[in-house]
Amino acid sequence: MTPVRIEIDREACVASGVCVLTAPELFSQDPRDGRALTPAEELAPEQVDAARAAVDHCPSAALSLRGDDA
Amino acid sequence: MPVDADSTPVALPTARTHPFDPAPELAALREQSPLCRMRYPDGHVGWLVTSYELARKLLVDARFSMKPFRPPVGDPAKTAEVQEVEGAREEATGALILLDPPRHTKIRRLQAGYFTVQRMREHRAGIERIVEGCLDEMERHGPPVDFVEAFAAPVPGLAICAILGVPGEDRARFERPTQIAEDPRSTAEEQLAANDEFRDYAHEVIRSKRARPGDDLLSELTQTSDLSDAELAGVALQLFGAGHETTVSMLALGALVLLSDRGRWERLCDDPSLVGGAVEELLRYLTIVQVGAFTRTATEDVELDGAVIKAGEGVTVSLSAANRDPAKFADPDLFDLARDAAGHLAFGHGRHICLGQHFARLEMEVALLALTRRFPTLRLAAAPDQVPMHPPEQFLSGVHELPVTWG
């Protein structure tokens, strides 16, 4: 199974914080400008569903999953 | 169904047949053609979006601009008269909702660090004190009370004062003028005078932050940003305006929804763990931005759903219709406390999504937790259909007063 990673398009991010609301264990916000941060390197298999929900709910289409075949 | 670009344009449907449901024509339009031609009050023929899927697609598309300012409802002569004065003011260049990138990006990032999920947690205890204070006062007064005056208005008013670091007594300085400016029944002269009053207050706040900076967003911006005083006053105007009246509407209408069905209210009193979900469902169900998101205008020809929105054409996205789309939310006209309403568009979508959404959630959650704990016998003292509502062409839905009693 290919490792799945979250990618954040920092230019597209509008600091909504919706990712933190959706998947608090995977995201935080930069205290300076509110933009999304993800501490996770490679996602554990049980984290992938939450990551997908965050990608789906992102209001500025700034998130994507790399290596996600589903 | 393919969209006919020459089909007869509709006017934005606004007339409600039930106080909580959007105009029924919106659902019919969504079924026939979720992207249809719409005539604006100024005669411009643009488009109306009524489905969840197209609403999201359109609002995230970078090829749309916030300019020109073109409301989908209202008296066009009055809009033009007010806009001629307001649009030219330097303060307007600090108001996020009127801006496109790159300026929008700059002004939003300057503020967004103060509205993060983490940052809002730090304000929880302060909001709890405000809420408890209002409930203490309600208790001392005794039943009946006007819930708007006693609770729904002061909580957001005092909360925005607290996070922006101004005294709570300042409430009247921004609440009164916003009410007049937002009321479609005000004349152009009344709206302009109210805007002047509000702008004077914003400038006073900026001067006082410069003189005595505190630990708050506006103080930091006066110290570290390159924005002029007029631009900073524009930022303050939007923070004070958008930062209170939306939550006033949500608290008052939310109470009306919850109290109009006894079982619903009691369920929430019995199980506080439902409050978080109830807040999301109230946001979805009520979608108080009742006339749709601010008009977007295509900056180039954009293909959407088999149609071409031509450069220069305006688009109104009905957030209310999108949030009642059965393709996204099963049985959408049902208010369901236990529903997973995540993904609703009550705060908008795209780069203009509400900057203060986590602040609004926090206020609503703290308010509902305290109300259900301290006033479990709270009930309406008027028939739900007798409660005076905002006119349907007002930007936000809401109630003017809400008589309640308890005990």
Side-chain angles (χ1 to χ4, degrees):
Chain A
M1 200 174 136
T2 18
V4 179
R5 283 188 169 81
I6 297 168
E7 296 205 332
I8 301 174
D9 178 342
R10 299 263 302 154
E11 283 316 299
C13 179
V14 297
S16 72
V18 171
C19 53
V20 182
L21 194 74
T22 311
E25 68 288 356
L26 295 179
F27 296 93
S28 61
Q29 287 174 276
D30 188 324
R32 291 163 302 176
D33 62 16
R35 282 191 279 177
L37 301 169
T38 180
E41 284 290 305
E42 248 170 52
L43 295 179
E46 67 275 14
Q47 292 176 316
V48 175
D49 278 349
R52 282 189 196 128
V55 169
D56 180 42
H57 288 160
C58 174
S60 58
L63 302 178
S64 54
L65 290 188
R66 195 158 136 197
D68 186 20
D69 308 323
Chain B
M1 191 178 288
V3 179
D4 179 1
D6 300 320
S7 62
T8 314
V10 298
L12 179 70
T14 55
R16 293 171 186 260
T17 49
H18 181 279
F20 305 140
D21 293 338
E25 292 88 341
L26 289 166
L29 287 171
R30 189 179 51 227
E31 267 172 44
Q32 288 155 17
S33 174
L35 175 66
C36 69
R37 304 298 324 231
M38 188 187 107
R39 187 183 300 279
Y40 287 79
D42 65 1
H44 174 77
V45 176
W47 301 85
L48 171 64
V49 170
T50 45
S51 75
Y52 180 84
E53 189 197 346
L54 291 183
R56 280 186 44 135
K57 262 193 198 152
L58 192 119
L59 291 173
V60 80
D61 196 315
R63 294 170 291 177
F64 289 87
S65 166
M66 301 312 288
K67 296 176 173 72
F69 178 76
R70 172 175 279 137
V73 291
D75 167 5
K78 189 163 80 180
T79 302
E81 191 180 340
V82 173
Q83 204 43 32
E84 194 187 333
V85 179
E86 296 298 335
R89 292 197 192 276
E90 198 185 343
E91 286 84 355
T93 63
L96 283 176
I97 196 62
L98 306 174
L99 301 177
D100 291 326
R103 182 157 177 91
H104 172 268
T105 315
K106 173 186 168 176
I107 309 267
R108 181 154 177 133
R109 285 189 189 152
L110 283 174
Q111 305 176 62
Y114 278 82
F115 291 95
T116 63
V117 174
Q118 300 103 283
R119 196 82 181 232
M120 283 306 132
R121 278 188 207 120
E122 297 165 20
H123 290 289
R124 188 173 188 106
I127 305 294
E128 282 170 349
R129 275 195 299 277
I130 288 168
V131 164
E132 297 294 338
C134 290
L135 294 180
D136 290 346
E137 190 52 45
M138 227 167 95
E139 211 161 19
R140 265 196 298 274
H141 179 283
V145 300
D146 170 12
F147 185 76
V148 175
E149 194 192 340
F151 191 79
V155 166
L158 294 169
I160 192 73
C161 287
I163 76 158
L164 294 179
V166 302
E169 302 87 81
D170 281 11
R171 266 182 66 199
R173 305 282 309 273
F174 56 87
E175 287 180 15
R176 206 187 74 90
T178 341
Q179 268 166 22
I180 296 168
E182 289 288 325
D183 192 334
R185 295 163 302 190
S186 306
T187 63
E189 292 69 34
E190 285 166 338
Q191 288 187 7
L192 288 166
N195 289 342
D196 283 343
E197 194 183 321
F198 191 10
R199 191 167 33 250
D200 286 347
Y201 172 65
H203 276 278
E204 203 178 297
V205 169
I206 297 304
R207 278 195 300 275
S208 116
K209 298 291 181 193
R210 272 210 197 285
R212 290 172 303 279
D215 179 22
D216 60 79
L217 167 58
L218 291 171
S219 294
E220 184 187 315
L221 293 184
T222 59
Q223 306 295 306
T224 60
S225 80
D226 59 359
L227 301 184
S228 71
D229 279 8
E231 291 167 325
L232 288 167
V235 169
L237 285 168
Q238 186 160 11
L239 289 170
F240 278 112
H244 85 280
E245 57 181 354
T246 45
T247 313
V248 175
S249 277
M250 276 309 300
L251 289 175
L253 280 170
L256 181 56
V257 168
L258 295 170
L259 294 172
S260 59
D261 177 334
R262 203 70 214 154
R264 208 177 262 168
W265 177 253
E266 283 170 2
R267 206 171 151 204
L268 205 56
C269 292
D270 290 345
D271 186 358
S273 75
L274 291 173
V275 165
V279 166
E280 296 306 320
E281 174 66 345
L282 284 170
L283 286 162
R284 180 199 72 86
Y285 182 70
L286 290 166
T287 313
I288 55 170
V289 178
Q290 63 177 347
V291 302
F294 273 63
T295 303
R296 267 61 172 179
T297 297
T299 58
E300 55 182 270
D301 290 1
V302 175
E303 237 190 288
L304 184 71
D305 203 32
V308 177
I309 298 172
K310 293 222 170 73
E313 288 182 336
V315 188
T316 286
V317 175
S318 173
L319 300 172
S320 324
N323 276 341
R324 297 291 186 105
D325 186 343
K328 170 68 183 173
F329 301 103
D331 210 350
D333 295 328
L334 179 78
F335 177 83
D336 178 2
L337 270 182
R339 180 198 298 275
D340 177 9
H344 67 71
L345 306 181
F347 291 114
H349 192 72
R351 68 168 76 99
H352 291 280
I353 193 167
C354 178
L355 179 68
Q357 61 172 301
H358 307 297
F359 180 49
R361 284 191 171 94
L362 173 68
E363 290 176 88
M364 288 176 62
E365 189 189 325
V366 168
L368 285 182
L369 282 170
L371 259 179
T372 48
R373 194 186 73 247
R374 292 185 55 179
F375 290 83
T377 64
L378 195 69
R379 57 191 184 276
L380 298 176
D385 58 354
Q386 295 303 306
V387 173
M389 310 278 295
H390 288 178
E393 69 278 20
Q394 185 157 340
F395 182 62
L396 297 177
S397 62
V399 300
H400 294 292
E401 56 175 82
L402 183 63
V404 294
T405 187
W406 62 89

